Amino acid sequence: GAVVSQHPSWVICKSGTSVKIECRSLDFQATTMFWYRQFPKQSLMLMATSNEGSKATYEQGVEKDKFLINHASLTLSTLTVTSAHPEDSSFYICSGMVWTSGGADTQYFGPGTRLTVL
Amino acid sequence: QQQVKQSPQSLIVQKGGISIINCAYENTAFDYFPWYQQFPGKGPALLIAIRPDVSEKKEGRFTISFNKSAKQFSLHIMDSQPGDSATYFCAASWPAGTYKYIFGTGTRLKVLA
C-alpha cells in the first residue's frame, strides 16, 4: 500500500503557541489529502480536505483560522494549529488519497501526531 | 442518511475463534466500503475493501461479506490471534471524485491468548 508519513509524531507546547504538523506521501502523489482529529476511544473526525494548489475545504464547525492547512506540493500538506489551547490537545491524523483501479478512492493514513497543549 | 452504524462497540474472542464486526448504512449512493485496523497511538491501516457489485471478498484471514439489499457489510477475522487485538473501523465512500469517507464508530477487539 501507499505510505504516508507525519512529523512530528508527538509534540508538547505551551498554550498560545502555534504548532505545525507535516504530512507527506512518500511513494505516491497525493492531489488530495485529508486531516482528521481523533479523541481517545472515538472515531475519526474529518477536519478538512486539502487540495494541492488550492484552498482547503473545512468541515462544518472547524475553525479555518485556527487550523491552517497548506498543500503546497503533491507530496506535502501541513496543518498549523494557531494559538493552541489545552482543548486542542488531540491525535491528528492525515491521509493521502489514491485513485485505485475500478474507480475507487482509497485513503492511506499517516501514523498520527499526538498534540498536547499545556 | 450519512451515518454508518457499527457494532459491536467491543468484542472479546478466544484465540483461534472468529471475530465478526458489522456495519450498516442508509445512503445507497455509497459505493466503496473499506475496513481499517488501528493500534493504539497509530494511524489506521487499510485492511480490505469491497465494492457493492461483489458479495464477498477474502484476503488471508480477513473476509468482507456484503449484503446490498440489506445495506449491511461485515468483517470476519478467521483464526483470530492476540496480534489482531486492535480497533477496527468500517467506512463508506461515495463514487470516485467525491473523496470523503464516513467512518463507523469503531469496534475494540480483544483476542485472548
Side-chain angles (χ1 to χ4, degrees):
Chain A
V3 181
V4 176
S5 70
Q6 278 184 245
H7 179 80
S9 56
W10 59 270
V11 57
I12 301 173
C13 69
K14 292 182 178 180
S15 184
T17 60
S18 295
V19 174
K20 179 184 283 188
I21 302 170
E22 292 186 348
C23 176
R24 293 181 184 273
S25 57
L26 299 184
D27 54 359
F28 67 101
Q29 293 184 328
T31 307
T32 300
M33 289 182 165
F34 302 89
W35 286 95
Y36 294 84
R37 185 173 181 177
Q38 187 177 36
F39 292 104
K41 300 183 181 181
Q42 292 191 21
S43 189
L44 289 82
M45 182 189 78
L46 179 65
M47 298 174 65
T49 302
S50 169
N51 294 297
E52 186 267 337
S54 63
K55 290 183 178 180
T57 302
Y58 291 82
E59 294 299 300
Q60 190 172 12
V62 178
E63 299 176 62
K64 60 182 179 181
D65 293 332
K66 181 167 191 60
F67 298 100
L68 300 179
I69 292 172
N70 183 276
H71 195 154
S73 76
L74 288 173
T75 60
L76 174 65
S77 176
T78 60
L79 167 68
T80 301
V81 183
T82 62
S83 187
H85 291 283
E87 57 266 29
D88 299 322
S89 298
S90 190
F91 193 52
Y92 292 89
I93 314 173
C94 69
S95 71
M97 190 192 70
V98 175
W99 191 90
T100 57
S101 61
D105 301 323
T106 299
Q107 292 188 32
Y108 290 91
F109 287 84
T113 296
R114 172 75 58 192
L115 171 63
T116 301
V117 184
L118 302 176
Chain B
Q1 244 195 350
Q2 306 288 3
Q3 288 184 325
V4 176
K5 295 181 180 180
Q6 184 171 347
S7 63
Q9 186 175 11
S10 62
L11 180 62
I12 299 175
V13 174
Q14 293 288 337
K15 178 182 177 181
I18 302 174
S19 303
I20 301 175
I21 304 170
N22 302 298
C23 284
Y25 64 98
E26 289 294 324
N27 193 332
T28 56
F30 291 143
D31 81 337
Y32 182 63
F33 303 89
W35 283 90
Y36 287 86
Q37 178 190 57
Q38 185 179 30
F39 293 103
K42 304 295 183 183
L46 179 66
L47 263 181
I48 187 172
I50 199 168
R51 302 293 297 274
D53 53 347
V54 176
S55 61
E56 185 176 281
K57 183 176 182 180
K58 183 176 180 180
E59 290 185 2
R61 296 186 294 110
F62 301 95
T63 299
I64 298 179
S65 296
F66 191 87
N67 187 328
K68 189 174 181 179
S69 60
K71 291 183 284 187
Q72 295 176 348
F73 58 108
S74 60
L75 175 69
H76 295 234
I77 305 174
M78 313 300 288
D79 187 26
S80 299
Q81 299 296 313
D84 297 329
S85 298
T87 299
Y88 293 81
F89 292 97
C90 63
S93 176
W94 285 272
T98 318
Y99 308 145
K100 291 183 183 179
Y101 282 5
I102 302 295
F103 280 93
T105 50
T107 297
R108 299 179 72 191
L109 170 66
K110 184 172 184 178
V111 181
L112 302 177

